[in-house]
Amino acid sequence: MSDQPRPRASLRTAVVWEVLKEALDRQVKATGRDALDVLDTGGGTGNFAVPAAKLGHRVTVVDPSPNALFALERRAAEAGVADRVRGVQGDILGLFDVVERDGFDAVLCHGVLEYVDEPAEGVRNAVEALRPSGALSLLAAGLGGAVLARALAGHFTEARQALTDPAGRWGEGDPVPRRFTAGQLSDLVSDAGMEIAAVHGVRVFADLVPGVLVDTEPGAVEALLKLEAAAAEQPAFHSVATQLHVLGEKRH
């Protein structure tokens, strides 16, 4: 199937999904259970929850948006995994109002920390939801990617603003409240009591390449996916990635 066209949307999720799938496979072997309990905080419409459920896992999605949860329910039903996906309205800072502590083998926290007032508390809650030896998948906006994007668009003052702003914002019109460096995200995970298993840069090139090149050149999407995968683990590229992914493993 590798020679089949790949949707451009996969450029946004491919690296993270491969890392996550491998982590879930390790959890299956470690626990001896084919079906894991997975918590997806801020999981929205199920970009990761539904594929995880297709692997046979039970997934609880916590999201503040009723509309997103409705779309999740419909998407899970269409995928034939409605019995393995549960949507609950809530957020990561009030996580234990809606789910139990120590109840999950893996917790996903993707695109959440940018929007919460207390990112450290959010990460601590995610970790406290894990069982012993559980895994945390953390994905957040990267500072360097935003600086590079503003500069390449000719917005040099905004690029400098993002570089020097404590929250990594380029101005009042910036839709993202907070961005992180790889070091900042790793520290949040470590401070919450987890070992850093891996750090990846996500969308290192995908957001910088003109869409017309990707859409019109035969095989371009597949080639770009391979380039993204090759660069993702290289620390040199973490500083320019649009997003950063940290995989944490709970200490015994």
Side-chain angles (χ1 to χ4, degrees), residues 181-201:
T181 64
Q184 288 170 335
L185 279 184
S186 296
D187 286 347
L188 286 172
V189 174
S190 296
D191 291 347
M194 301 201 81
E195 301 283 357
I196 304 297
V199 179
H200 292 85

Side-chain angles (χ1 to χ4, degrees), residues 218-236:
V221 172
E222 193 69 35
L224 184 51
L225 278 166
K226 291 178 180 178
L227 176 60
E228 289 280 354
E233 293 187 53
Q234 300 293 327

Side-chain angles (χ1 to χ4, degrees), residues 218-251:
V221 172
E222 193 69 35
L224 184 51
L225 278 166
K226 291 178 180 178
L227 176 60
E228 289 280 354
E233 293 187 53
Q234 300 293 327
F237 291 102
H238 295 169
S239 59
V240 294
T242 298
Q243 292 179 308
L244 295 162
H245 183 250
V246 177
L247 182 69
E249 294 178 346
K250 203 166 186 181
R251 296 167 182 160

Side-chain angles (χ1 to χ4, degrees), residues 13-78:
T13 59
V15 168
V16 178
W17 173 246
E18 288 303 316
V19 175
L20 179 60
K21 186 177 180 297
E22 289 175 7
L24 293 174
D25 289 345
R26 287 196 299 272
Q27 288 291 97
V28 166
K29 292 176 182 176
T31 61
R33 291 183 286 111
D34 290 337
L36 302 174
D37 293 302
V38 178
L39 173 64
D40 190 353
T41 64
T45 60
N47 284 344
F48 288 93
V50 169
K54 282 185 174 181
L55 296 177
H57 305 306
R58 297 176 293 269
V59 187
T60 299
V61 175
V62 175
D63 196 280
S65 168
N67 290 338
L69 293 174
F70 178 76
L72 166 71
E73 184 178 349
R74 186 174 62 244
R75 186 174 186 173
E78 291 172 353

Side-chain angles (χ1 to χ4, degrees), residues 10 14 18 64 100 126 179 225:
S10 63
E18 288 303 316
E100 69 274 22
R179 294 184 178 88
L225 278 166

